[in-house]
Amino acid sequence: VGVAKMAAVPIAIPVNMGVPAQLAMGGSTPLEASGFKIADNIKWNGGPWQIIGQDSQTLMAIIQPGQVIMAEPGGMLSYPHGVSPRCDTGGVGLACQRCCCAGESCFRVHWTNTSSAPVSVALGPSFPAKIVVVDLDQEGGEMNIKKMSWMASMNSGTEFGIRQAPSLVAACCGGQGCCLTTVKGSGVTFLNVGGTVLQKKLQVGESIIVDTNSLVAWSRTINFEVKKSGNILTMCCGGMGMYNTKVTGPGIVIIQSMPFEKAAAAYKQAMMKQKEGG
């Protein structure tokens, strides 16, 4: 008995069906299409410092005889004989400026190699975090940073500065306080960051909206302002607060996916639930 052949059933494709994203973006990945790049995957380039680890990272720095590097208090992991730590304030005025306006400690720790041979010092962040590198020479010797984000500098002459927030709304709702913190100097500076770290170079007039707490660092040529997160319902229930940060190029912007504030809030909520349940 012959088997009847079934007629091919035509498949209707909606005319308004979108083109697959990978085709529309010319084969680029979503990360590439966004203009961001991962900033926390730093490979050793043969220089005097190296960042090791995946999540809670460590900075290994080689100090030449007589060389001094500077770090925040509490960041020491290990150092050999021949390295002399010295803590200072840099002066009462600068100490008050760092503590009251820049959100940093009054004190800095200077690590000096007093031996006749190169030695290695290990430093770590002040909380479970990754380490991102900022080359101040490429930023004209100055860059805006988030309060409490500075970790260490290969140049012991690195200092902090402040500048007034661009508006009253930005001072109250921009997450940086009434004063924006800047780090000044030359060479390489290291920052504490949480989660995945992304970096983007904004073109002239190009803007992006960033979560207020997720902004880590931005070039001094970047225009910093705030923007309402949406309507009343969104501001109250959207989980983004009333305002987000708007940054406009040209310049570099660095953001983090798990800022300290978000992690601390999650830990606090978990502890409260555990306390209520126990």
Side-chain angles (χ1 to χ4, degrees):
V1 179
V3 179
K5 294 182 178 180
M6 296 180 61
V9 179
I11 300 175
I13 300 178
V15 295
N16 61 347
M17 178 179 288
V19 179
Q22 61 267 37
L23 297 180
M25 296 185 297
S28 300
T29 66
L31 177 62
E32 293 170 341
S34 70
F36 281 99
K37 66 177 183 179
I38 298 176
D40 57 4
N41 185 20
I42 304 171
K43 296 181 179 180
W44 183 57
N45 61 359
W49 55 266
Q50 182 181 7
I51 296 174
I52 60 175
Q54 297 298 323
D55 295 321
S56 296
Q57 295 180 322
T58 299
L59 169 66
M60 304 294 296
I62 297 176
I63 312 177
Q64 298 297 325
Q67 183 182 359
V68 183
I69 65 172
M70 186 171 66
E72 65 175 347
M76 189 275 292
L77 292 182
S78 69
Y79 66 95
H81 178 75
V83 174
S84 175
R86 177 179 59 87
C87 187
D88 70 2
T89 62
V92 177
L94 290 176
C96 291
Q97 177 179 291
R98 286 195 305 272
C99 180
C100 301
C101 302
E104 300 292 340
S105 172
C106 289
F107 302 95
R108 300 94 47 88
V109 181
H110 299 265
W111 300 91
T112 305
N113 182 1
T114 58
S115 70
S116 59
V119 294
S120 180
V121 173
L123 302 172
S126 58
F127 65 100
K130 295 181 179 178
I131 302 172
V132 68
V133 180
V134 172
D135 190 342
L136 293 177
D137 293 335
Q138 296 183 2
E139 293 295 326
E142 182 179 3
M143 193 168 193
N144 299 294
I145 62 172
K146 182 179 179 178
K147 289 176 172 59
M148 299 177 64
S149 65
W150 179 77
M151 179 188 138
S153 295
M154 293 299 291
N155 182 359
S156 62
T158 300
E159 196 46 82
F160 299 95
I162 56 174
R163 63 186 182 91
Q164 187 176 358
S167 67
L168 180 61
V169 178
C172 297
C173 307
Q176 305 295 329
C178 61
C179 298
L180 304 182
T181 303
T182 62
V183 58
K184 302 178 180 180
S186 60
V188 175
T189 287
F190 305 93
L191 306 179
N192 302 308
V193 291
T196 301
V197 190
L198 299 175
Q199 176 178 313
K200 183 172 184 177
K201 183 176 182 180
L202 297 178
Q203 303 302 318
V204 178
E206 182 183 4
S207 299
I208 58 172
I209 309 300
V210 181
D211 173 68
T212 299
N213 291 325
S214 295
L215 184 62
V216 177
W218 62 102
S219 301
R220 59 179 181 172
T221 54
I222 291 279
N223 183 43
F224 175 94
E225 55 186 327
V226 294
K227 181 180 183 297
K228 288 184 178 180
S229 58
N231 56 27
I232 298 297
L233 184 61
T234 302
M235 288 190 290
C236 295
C237 307
M240 298 178 288
M242 296 182 63
Y243 290 89
N244 289 321
T245 300
K246 180 181 179 181
V247 287
T248 304
I252 299 295
V253 59
I254 302 174
I255 63 176
Q256 58 185 339
S257 66
M258 185 54 67
F260 175 80
E261 295 84 355
K262 184 184 291 186
Y267 294 147
K268 182 179 180 180
Q269 185 177 10
M271 292 178 64
M272 291 178 62
K273 288 183 179 180
Q274 186 178 13
K275 185 177 180 180
E276 292 173 357

